């Protein structure tokens, strides 16, 4: 099946996206928004269940592409980065780049987050596709480093512009010295090649801790909850106040 076929005929779910801000803690500004999948039907399925159903029906890659199209349609007119989740297997489909050139406007600044929930089956082909995407101005992020199949090898092989650290490491970070050491080591490791984003920041104390560890970028409920196409200006003021430390 070709990726450029009419996806709406192949995909039966009604989906939409909510957007969660990602902050630059050094100047208290939003650098972008991650598009998070939501069920737009009356069923109100969780994103996990949507993915499971798509995998069971053999259309997970179609869900990927439909999700990207939906998020791009909603996000039109924005100037911040749009972080889009994608499975490595979708990138490895034979005519993915042709599909991308047809459906993705060049004016939208896109960051593709490689999901951690599946292994990479062909490193050389994936590297070649990512290099082609970079030539088109697309940036790459490794999602949830430290969870699933996201490993240091991805950083070495794929040279991503962003690395997102799994939310496990931010939970109760302020009182966990081992996690603090791990985050500090990652911050030092990536400092001259990739921007490190800590996910799952839900407490003031954990935000202050990553700030003092030298981490510049963060995402989480404490900074801004996912919302349907909405700027979180109230949270912006909140963060400004917190980070004057």
């Amino acid at each position: 099946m070709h990726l450029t076929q009419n996806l709406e005929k192949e995909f039966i779910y009604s989906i939409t996206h909510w957007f969660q801000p990602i902050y630059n803690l050094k100047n208290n500004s939003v650098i972008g928004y991650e598009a998070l999948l939501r069920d737009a039907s009356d069923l109100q399925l969780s994103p996990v269940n949507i993915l499971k159903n798509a995998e069971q029906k053999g259309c997970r890659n179609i869900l990927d592409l439909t999700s990207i199209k939906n998020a791009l349609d909603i996000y039109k007119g924005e100037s911040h980065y749009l972080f889009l989740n994608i499975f490595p297997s979708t990138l490895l489909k034979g005519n993915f780049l042709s599909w991308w050139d047809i459906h993705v406007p060049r004016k939208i600044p896109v960051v593709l987050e490689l999901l951690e929930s599946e292994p990479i089956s062909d490193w050389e082909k994936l590297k070649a596709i990512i290099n082609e995407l970079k030539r088109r101005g697309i940036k790459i992020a490794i999602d949830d480093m430290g969870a699933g199949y996201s490993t240091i090898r991805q950083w070495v092989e794929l040279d991503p512009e962003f690395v997102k650290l799994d939310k496990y490491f931010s939970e109760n970070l302020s009182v966990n010295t081992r996690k603090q050491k791990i985050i500090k080591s990652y911050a030092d490791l990536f400092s001259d090649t990739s921007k490190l984003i800590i996910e799952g920041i839900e407490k003031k104390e954990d935000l202050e801790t990553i700030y003092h560890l030298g981490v510049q970028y963060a995402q989480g409920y404490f900074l801004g909850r996912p919302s349907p196409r909405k700027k979180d200006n109230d949270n912006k003021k909140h963060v400004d106040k917190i980070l004057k430390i």
Side-chain angles (χ1 to χ4, degrees):
M1 181 177 63
H2 293 292
L3 294 178
T4 50
Q5 286 181 338
N6 187 336
L7 297 179
E8 288 74 13
K9 292 181 180 179
E10 302 288 343
F11 186 72
I12 61 173
Y13 298 100
S14 176
I15 61 172
T16 187
H17 285 82
W18 286 15
F19 299 86
Q20 186 174 33
I22 300 169
Y23 274 89
N24 180 339
L25 303 181
K26 297 299 183 183
N27 60 18
N28 305 323
S29 65
V30 173
I31 67 163
Y33 293 84
E34 180 178 357
L36 299 169
L37 185 67
R38 295 291 185 268
D39 182 8
S41 74
D42 293 334
L43 296 175
Q44 293 298 294
L45 297 174
S46 70
V48 171
N49 284 333
I50 293 176
L51 286 168
K52 284 182 178 178
N53 289 344
E55 185 171 9
Q56 289 169 358
K57 294 177 181 179
C59 60
R60 190 173 66 177
N61 297 135
I62 294 172
L63 171 59
D64 245 1
L65 301 182
T66 306
S67 176
I68 288 172
K69 284 182 62 181
N70 178 275
L72 288 166
D73 287 342
I74 297 173
Y75 202 72
K76 285 178 180 176
E78 293 284 358
S79 59
H80 297 95
Y81 286 123
L82 174 60
F83 286 71
L84 296 169
N85 294 299
I86 191 167
F87 287 102
S89 60
T90 301
L91 290 172
L92 291 171
K93 291 293 183 181
N95 59 339
F96 171 79
L97 288 173
S98 298
W99 180 92
W100 185 269
D101 289 339
I102 292 170
H103 294 285
V104 180
R106 295 226 174 196
K107 61 183 179 180
I108 297 179
V110 170
V111 180
L112 282 181
E113 291 190 30
L114 300 188
L115 291 167
E116 83 294 343
S117 51
E118 69 175 18
I120 293 172
S121 61
D122 189 335
W123 281 97
E124 292 307 314
K125 183 177 179 181
L126 183 64
K127 284 160 56 175
I129 292 168
I130 283 178
N131 285 336
E132 286 297 325
L133 288 167
K134 288 183 176 183
R135 291 189 187 100
R136 291 158 169 79
I138 306 305
K139 298 188 182 302
I140 302 297
I142 303 302
D143 190 33
D144 290 342
M145 177 72 77
Y149 292 96
S150 287
T151 65
I152 290 294
R153 181 178 179 181
Q154 291 191 12
W155 171 68
V156 173
E157 297 281 351
L158 304 180
D159 191 23
E161 285 80 6
F162 297 92
V163 173
K164 301 184 81 174
L165 198 60
D166 183 63
K167 64 183 179 181
Y168 163 79
F169 295 99
S170 61
E171 185 178 2
N172 297 319
L173 175 63
S174 64
V175 295
N176 191 314
T177 56
R178 290 189 177 185
K179 288 184 179 181
Q180 291 173 23
K181 289 179 180 179
I182 291 171
I183 288 178
K184 184 64 169 66
S185 67
Y186 274 132
D188 292 341
L189 178 64
F190 301 141
S191 61
D192 60 350
T193 58
S194 305
K195 295 178 175 65
L196 179 63
I197 301 172
I198 307 297
E199 297 184 297
I201 298 297
E202 298 187 0
K203 297 178 181 178
K204 175 183 177 181
E205 294 81 7
D206 296 331
L207 178 67
E208 291 174 341
T209 300
I210 67 166
Y211 183 80
H212 287 302
L213 289 172
V215 177
Q216 188 169 350
Y217 304 94
Q219 177 180 357
Y221 280 10
F222 188 73
L223 293 165
R225 289 177 174 268
S227 61
R229 192 61 162 73
K230 177 183 177 183
K231 295 284 188 15
D232 206 339
N233 292 324
D234 290 339
N235 259 309
K236 173 66 164 60
K237 296 175 183 177
H238 186 47
V239 174
D240 283 345
K241 184 177 180 181
I242 292 167
L243 291 177
K244 290 178 180 177
I245 53 180

